[in-house]
Amino acid sequence: GPSKYLKPVRVRFKQGGKPRAWDLIESHDAVCVLVYHRQKDAIVLVRQFRPAVYLRDQKENEAGSTSGGGNDSPGFTLELPAGLVDKKGKSRQQIAAEEVLEETGFNVDVKNVHLVNRYRASVGLIGTVHDVYYTEVDDSMQVGEGGGLEEDGERIEVVCLKSSDVKGFLADSSKSVPAGLLYALQWFAMEKRLY
């Protein structure tokens, strides 16, 4: 059946008095959270398999291209805990806190999840709004292992990036990472004066 997450659409409109058509995808907005672990002085990231990245990695390998970076584990990405804004009756901030719990095992109070900024993703194709949040955790807030929701097929590994390694991470183009992570790490580096 049809996807509950994506819907291809062809839009027809006039621009400058001339008819135009544009193919796009309707989808949900999303949230992501930069989680800072105070005791470890580290950012809590998630590593997970992404089929779209795997397919792209395979095509690049077949073509002999390395434009996507030299990923030694095709299809795996490092990301911030994140999720779709698809839960009726819940604020984006509540969804962000839930994603932190589901993916990392840290239980954060919604009032301690702060909006950093928002941006539009894939503006030529999707144009969804992505909210970037920030929160801090410590060992006392860990109530589970994280790993995502098994019923959704998620298999997430929780990894930590030391604050002292952020600058080098940002300069390393060999990793498969989404733009939201790079943006959030740049923000963190400026806030913590890592440069």
Side-chain angles (χ1 to χ4, degrees):
S3 170
K4 63 181 182 177
Y5 302 109
L6 302 171
K7 179 183 173 188
V9 176
R10 174 163 287 167
V11 177
R12 298 185 188 285
F13 60 100
K14 285 192 174 184
Q15 187 175 29
K18 296 181 181 177
R20 301 239 359 237
W22 196 269
D23 293 333
L24 54 90
I25 296 173
E26 289 182 354
S27 185
H28 296 280
D29 289 344
V31 297
C32 63
V33 188
L34 191 147
V35 180
Y36 175 68
H37 194 296
R38 292 185 290 260
Q39 291 154 317
K40 293 181 179 178
D41 187 24
I43 306 298
V44 180
L45 301 176
V46 294
R47 181 180 183 268
Q48 61 185 317
F49 179 75
R50 295 295 196 180
V53 174
Y54 177 78
L55 180 62
R56 184 70 185 198
D57 286 347
Q58 293 305 103
K59 286 183 177 186
E60 288 182 359
N61 286 341
E62 289 169 11
S65 170
T66 59
S67 63
N71 190 354
D72 60 351
S73 299
F76 281 87
T77 60
L78 285 170
E79 306 175 22
L80 298 172
L84 296 175
V85 178
D86 62 352
K87 298 170 184 167
K88 292 195 186 296
K90 294 194 176 181
S91 71
R92 290 170 182 256
Q93 197 174 14
Q94 288 171 312
I95 293 170
E98 286 180 3
E99 292 297 335
V100 171
L101 178 60
E102 289 170 11
E103 296 188 6
T104 70
F106 288 99
N107 190 13
V108 297
D109 190 317
V110 172
K111 73 179 188 318
N112 295 323
V113 178
H114 307 285
L115 182 66
V116 171
N117 209 332
R118 59 179 29 137
Y119 67 93
R120 294 238 177 217
S122 192
V123 293
L125 185 62
I126 300 176
T128 51
V129 174
H130 290 216
D131 289 355
V132 180
Y133 290 92
Y134 176 78
T135 195
E136 294 187 1
V137 298
D138 59 42
D139 289 339
S140 72
M141 300 164 72
Q142 188 150 21
V143 297
E145 293 182 22
L149 296 177
E150 199 168 309
E151 62 266 22
D152 287 346
E154 293 179 319
R155 287 193 176 133
I156 295 171
E157 176 188 354
V158 179
V159 296
C160 287
L161 173 66
K162 297 289 285 179
S163 290
S164 59
D165 294 332
V166 166
K167 188 175 177 184
F169 184 93
L170 287 167
D172 182 358
S173 63
S174 70
K175 295 176 176 36
S176 286
V177 297
L181 172 59
L182 297 176
Y183 170 78
L185 288 177
Q186 289 280 5
W187 171 84
F188 178 80
M190 288 189 305
E191 287 289 308
K192 299 290 184 181
R193 292 177 171 68
L194 299 179
Y195 285 110

